[in-house]
Amino acid sequence: MATVAHYLEIQAPADRCYQWWRPLTHLPQIMPDVKSVEPKDGSATETHWVVSGPLGKDVEWDARIIDEEVDRKIAWTSIEGSNNTVETGGAVRFDDHGASTGVEVSLHVDTPAGALGDVVAKLFADPQKKVEEALDAFKKLMEAQPPSAAV
């Protein structure tokens, strides 16, 4: 199992940062390996994730938001028993500092055994770097928008 976390100060208000993250469907914009995150059966709390794996093999799982505080925190985990190819979860926290927001992303991945585990392990190679790059991309995206921009 790999667990990583990264924190950045972003020059954007917490509510705007939260609104961008909340549906989780925007994550492909900042995470190149993530092909899609889509609501599952119209749910506001369950999503289906598709991530590009090595050798053109996609890795998929369903996840559920398990903890949420508006403008402060979103946490999710993969749903047990939903034919997931990976067990994963994460959280993003927004620390409101007025005109800026401290954003912390944490992620954990539990890879399966066997050949599928080898594929998933390659996909999640250097997860710390991937989380740092995603948060850097999010920072650029948020800071490029005018202060009053809606998501």
Side-chain angles (χ1 to χ4, degrees), residues 54-133:
L55 305 174
K57 180 162 178 55
D58 289 345
V59 177
E60 301 185 37
W61 64 87
D62 294 331
R64 174 181 296 122
I65 292 176
I66 56 169
D67 191 12
E68 179 175 14
E69 293 178 41
V70 175
D71 296 343
R72 296 189 40 82
K73 172 175 63 170
I74 306 164
W76 62 93
T77 189
S78 52
I79 300 171
E80 282 188 46
S82 63
N83 296 324
N84 292 335
T85 53
V86 64
E87 298 299 322
T88 185
V92 58
R93 190 183 82 232
F94 309 95
D95 296 330
D96 188 351
H97 300 145
S100 69
T101 303
V103 179
E104 179 180 48
V105 174
S106 59
L107 180 68
H108 69 270
V109 178
D110 190 6
T111 58
L116 179 59
D118 292 342
V119 169
V120 174
K122 287 177 186 169
L123 170 64
F124 290 101
D126 201 354
Q128 183 68 43
K129 181 179 178 188
K130 289 182 180 187
V131 168
E132 289 173 11
E133 288 173 349

Side-chain angles (χ1 to χ4, degrees), residues 128-144:
Q128 183 68 43
K129 181 179 178 188
K130 289 182 180 187
V131 168
E132 289 173 11
E133 288 173 349
L135 206 45
D136 286 341
F138 178 65
K139 176 181 174 81
K140 288 177 184 154
L141 183 70
M142 287 293 101
E143 290 180 354

Side-chain angles (χ1 to χ4, degrees), residues 16 18-19 24 37 42 63 66 68 82 90 119 122 145 148 151:
R16 184 157 41 106
Y18 170 86
Q19 288 170 13
L24 302 176
V37 179
I66 56 169
E68 179 175 14
S82 63
V119 169
K122 287 177 186 169
Q145 295 180 12
S148 62
V151 178

